[in-house]
Amino acid sequence: MVDLVVTSKEIIDRILTLELVRVTERAAVAAARLRGCGDEKAADQAAVDAMRRELQRLPIDGTVVIGEGERDAAPMLYIGERLGTLKGPQVDIAVDPLEGTTLCARDMPGSIAVMAMATGGSLLHAPDVYMEKIAIGPGYPQGVVDLDKTPEENIRALAKAKGVKPSEIAVLVLDRPRHQAIIDDCRRVGAALRIIPDGDIAGVIFTTRPEETGIDLYLGIGGAPEGVLAAAALRCVGGQMQGRLILDTLEKIERAAKMGVSDPRRKYDMKELAAGDVIVSLTGVTDGALLGGVKFGKKVIRTETLIYRSVTGTVRKIAAEHREMGKFKLE
Ligand code: VTB
């Protein structure tokens, strides 16, 4: 007899992959309608609404572990919110419906809609605080770079492992005053620096495709939720990443403790940020180095999505055309 019992692992492995593409596509289209509107909150809200609506249709018993914030601060996609039909497998859900809200509101490159789904309990339940991060792509010896080394040491070690001069290593950092010391250190070794205004999930993922993006190393401090989502994608293609939460007040230490973080100074590696089986989907909102943004045609909307699966390391780039047919409306 054919075994028709589908385990939670199999669902994560295959069946939900295309469903996740739908979720980020919808969020991206909703946000893209507000590109350049100057209103970050409105663009974010549109993405949140669309993402939530689509997630509610999925045959899963999902729990948001990385979301729009805690329940009081976020009416939708808040941490702990249950999603889906609640009849399927138990899964963790991590979302950033509009990563780079400012980029979208100003119609600048690099904003994306992102979500990850993982077997229950496998994503770090990160509070919405900052995280120190370092990331490189696949193909390097384990431990070649380390969060506790200086940028100069890391660049020199990476250059040696890549067989190039330090000046041929390209580093990506967010444009923030807090990164001045990192920037100065990178300049001292002569590394090429790309300084971006926002969007460090894509920034970390850039390191996995240096031939396309030109980036070898991501350094700096960004959001912790974005760190977990980036680690989830990196896991699927085998790069290296480390992150450390910045818990610099008692209030943050206590908040993190409630989410299960017992050691506030712990350095997490990629597999601790995102363990277990995971699927990650990213759809472009505005054009970027990884993905084209949403294109509105006369009767058709085009989207581009990258979907990552950790079980096989498969990455698919899905170019979709969306049309209104019969009762189907593009919201
Ligand atoms: C990053 C980046 C985001 O926030 O995590 C960053 O990925 C860090 O925070 O796109 P600050 O903006 O507070 O410095 C964003 O830039 C915006 O959410």
Side-chain angles (χ1 to χ4, degrees):
M1 209 180 99
V2 184
D3 185 4
L4 289 176
V5 178
V6 179
T7 64
S8 147
K9 188 172 180 315
E10 283 165 331
I11 299 246
I12 281 289
D13 280 359
R14 287 183 81 93
I15 300 169
L16 286 168
T17 306
L18 197 56
E19 298 299 330
L20 257 65
V21 175
R22 287 202 176 92
V23 172
T24 55
E25 281 176 352
R26 285 282 171 270
V29 170
R33 290 192 194 281
L34 293 170
R35 275 187 310 222
C37 71
D39 186 343
E40 302 171 15
K41 284 216 172 90
D44 192 42
Q45 192 61 52
V48 169
D49 293 350
M51 189 172 264
R52 187 171 183 280
R53 200 164 48 229
E54 216 50 44
L55 279 166
Q56 288 294 38
R57 296 188 175 137
L58 298 191
I60 53 165
D61 178 353
T63 305
V64 177
V65 297
I66 301 271
E68 290 289 286
E70 268 107 285
R71 183 196 280 266
D72 308 337
M76 283 177 144
L77 297 177
Y78 58 84
I79 296 165
E81 182 174 352
R82 302 271 300 279
L83 287 171
T85 60
L86 306 185
K87 296 210 176 80
Q90 286 185 354
V91 289
D92 281 355
I93 292 171
V95 300
D96 195 347
L98 182 56
E99 153 72 337
T101 49
T102 311
L103 301 176
C104 176
R106 295 185 183 176
D107 200 5
M108 286 165 64
S111 64
I112 51 177
V114 188
M115 82 157 284
M117 188 179 281
T119 41
S122 53
L123 297 175
L124 179 75
H125 294 196
D128 194 3
V129 296
Y130 285 117
M131 179 187 268
E132 286 175 76
K133 310 173 196 177
I134 185 167
I136 54 172
Y140 292 105
Q142 193 58 39
V144 62
V145 295
D146 196 289
L147 202 52
D148 289 326
K149 290 189 184 148
T150 64
E152 176 166 354
E153 287 168 329
N154 282 320
I155 291 164
R156 289 195 187 284
L158 193 63
K160 202 166 166 216
K162 196 179 175 185
V164 299
K165 294 188 210 118
S167 60
E168 289 169 68
I169 292 293
V171 185
L172 186 132
V173 292
L174 282 172
D175 189 6
R176 298 291 184 277
R178 63 178 179 262
H179 290 155
Q180 200 52 52
I182 294 179
I183 292 171
D184 293 346
D185 218 29
C186 293
R187 297 264 190 246
R188 231 183 337 264
V189 255
L193 260 182
R194 189 180 307 167
I195 304 177
I196 57 165
D198 284 297
D200 71 349
I201 296 181
V204 168
I205 295 175
F206 281 0
T207 65
T208 68
R209 302 169 164 249
E211 55 305 320
E212 240 172 84
T213 62
I215 296 299
D216 303 294
L217 173 65
Y218 172 86
L219 283 178
I221 297 172
E226 287 90 343
V228 175
L229 279 160
L234 211 59
R235 257 214 56 208
C236 301
V237 289
Q240 296 178 49
M241 178 169 173
Q242 292 173 327
R244 186 185 279 123
L245 298 172
I246 302 188
L247 301 170
D248 49 6
T249 63
L250 195 58
E251 185 269 330
K252 287 181 197 164
I253 294 175
E254 284 171 359
R255 238 168 71 209
K258 276 198 206 129
M259 295 172 80
V261 177
S262 52
D263 174 4
R265 288 291 302 154
R266 175 151 171 199
K267 182 167 66 174
Y268 295 93
D269 71 19
M270 184 180 68
K271 289 190 180 145
E272 293 167 325
L273 295 168
D277 299 331
V278 60
I279 317 175
V280 187
S281 180
L282 311 98
T283 303
V285 177
T286 53
D287 285 339
L290 282 179
L291 288 162
V294 178
K295 307 278 182 307
F296 293 101
K298 205 158 179 237
K299 297 252 177 207
V300 61
I301 301 173
R302 295 194 174 80
T303 54
E304 268 184 42
T305 301
L306 279 169
I307 178 103
Y308 292 75
R309 289 177 60 217
S310 66
V311 177
T312 54
T314 310
V315 182
R316 292 184 171 84
K317 193 169 199 173
I318 299 185
E321 292 187 350
H322 310 270
R323 293 184 175 78
E324 296 203 335
M325 294 281 190
K327 278 194 205 151
F328 178 70
K329 291 272 171 281
L330 285 166
E331 289 159 289

